[in-house]
Amino acid sequence: EFEVEKQNSIFKELTELTQNEYTNFILATRNYESLSKDCEIPTHLLTYVSNFDLRQVKQYLTTFFKQDLKKSDELWDSLLENKILDKIPATPLTISLLSILYEENGYEIPATITDVYDNFNTFLLGRLNVNSNLDFLKINLKEAILEMYALEIIQTPNRTRKKKEDFIKYLIDYFKGQSITIEDGVIPELIKGITDGTGILNIDEQGYVTYQHDHFLEYYASREIFNSEDRTELE
């Protein structure tokens, strides 16, 4: 998920590396359409990663906890008993996060779906890896954007998404009315960080900025409603 200039540099180095010998390598991206439009990609095989079915979830957990299959069985039973898999997207990313949370929390699934998504939010936005106040500011801005845009979509007929150009204007207009000062030129960087770097938002083939899953959409909309109520009570 690097900048385009860096992506092209990587492709160039890989092409040079493979000129004299046969070498396999794997590159991963959350937005292949954007990558293929902006970069000159060497000859390659393209593979898409789709959601897991139940058999694949069980297989993944068995592999993740291969050193202790009892943990795998216990997590699997807990997921089925609490119907967690009915309430989250069964993507490799979310199943990985659930497995990590299971270990981090002393082999317990978080008590509620909200707790699960709160933990997802922490991981996906990189809150565990901040090194400065600037990093915190960027994360807080990303959260604010994800929350207000989700509620905006929920409140429109047919849950209408915005085109990228309209989304940029929407953010610029929003921040003009807030106490947060943000340069217009930073907006595209923020959008790229959210759509390319988190797995929460993406820009689809028609150019609309949309949430990867309705589960994320509804979670962030509920956060915005909750935070708005808190702000109203303080006022």
Side-chain angles (χ1 to χ4, degrees):
E1 312 304 338
F2 298 110
E3 299 296 329
V4 172
E5 182 179 347
K6 183 64 175 178
Q7 291 172 340
N8 278 313
S9 173
I10 291 172
F11 284 132
K12 181 180 178 181
E13 290 183 26
L14 286 171
T15 300
E16 294 173 355
L17 178 68
T18 58
Q19 282 181 347
N20 298 322
E21 58 180 308
Y22 182 77
T23 305
N24 289 320
F25 58 87
I26 297 174
L27 295 174
T29 178
R30 293 193 179 99
N31 192 348
Y32 177 77
E33 288 76 16
S34 175
L35 181 69
S36 60
K37 179 174 60 178
D38 297 327
C39 299
E40 186 175 342
I41 305 178
T43 302
H44 63 287
L45 293 176
L46 178 62
T47 301
Y48 286 99
V49 179
S50 59
N51 287 9
F52 285 150
D53 57 30
L54 288 180
R55 179 190 61 81
Q56 290 170 319
V57 172
K58 183 67 167 68
Q59 184 179 356
Y60 178 90
L61 297 179
T62 300
T63 304
F64 189 92
F65 295 102
K66 61 184 177 182
Q67 302 300 329
D68 189 347
L69 294 181
K70 181 181 178 183
K71 293 175 186 176
S72 169
D73 292 337
E74 289 174 348
L75 176 53
W76 173 250
D77 290 341
S78 179
L79 293 176
L80 294 182
E81 180 181 350
N82 297 308
K83 297 184 178 180
I84 298 293
L85 297 175
D86 295 336
K87 303 168 186 174
I88 66 169
T91 63
L93 174 62
T94 55
I95 302 304
S96 298
L97 291 176
L98 270 178
S99 301
I100 293 170
L101 291 175
Y102 186 65
E103 281 200 311
E104 292 287 333
N105 292 336
Y107 311 119
E108 291 185 3
I109 290 292
T112 67
I113 289 298
T114 298
D115 291 334
V116 172
Y117 275 97
D118 284 344
N119 281 277
F120 282 0
N121 180 63
T122 298
F123 275 106
L124 294 174
L125 294 187
R127 193 174 286 279
L128 295 180
N129 300 311
V130 295
N131 297 311
S132 66
N133 289 336
L134 179 59
D135 288 337
F136 271 114
L137 175 61
K138 288 180 179 179
I139 290 172
N140 289 338
L141 285 175
K142 288 178 182 179
E143 285 185 332
I145 292 169
L146 290 169
E147 291 170 7
M148 69 181 188
Y149 183 49
L151 186 59
E152 171 86 4
I153 292 175
I154 291 287
Q155 291 177 334
T156 57
N158 301 319
R159 295 190 172 186
T160 304
R161 275 67 166 170
K162 295 182 183 295
K163 288 275 193 176
K164 181 179 178 180
E165 296 75 14
D166 296 329
F167 185 64
I168 293 175
K169 182 178 184 303
Y170 168 69
L171 294 184
I172 292 174
D173 291 343
Y174 172 80
F175 285 115
K176 282 180 180 177
Q178 303 300 312
S179 58
I180 301 173
T181 301
I182 183 169
E183 299 290 336
D184 289 357
V186 175
I187 298 291
E189 179 185 341
L190 275 174
I191 294 175
K192 181 174 177 60
I194 294 175
T195 56
D196 289 355
T198 65
I200 299 173
L201 276 183
N202 78 313
I203 301 174
D204 66 19
E205 295 178 354
Q206 286 74 45
Y208 288 96
V209 180
T210 185
Y211 287 79
Q212 293 275 30
H213 304 280
D214 282 347
H215 302 279
F216 286 134
L217 169 66
E218 292 160 3
Y219 166 73
Y220 282 104
S222 67
R223 281 178 60 116
E224 177 67 6
I225 293 170
F226 182 78
N227 291 334
S228 297
E229 290 176 350
D230 278 353
R231 289 192 291 268
T232 300
E233 289 178 2
L234 288 174
E235 293 172 356

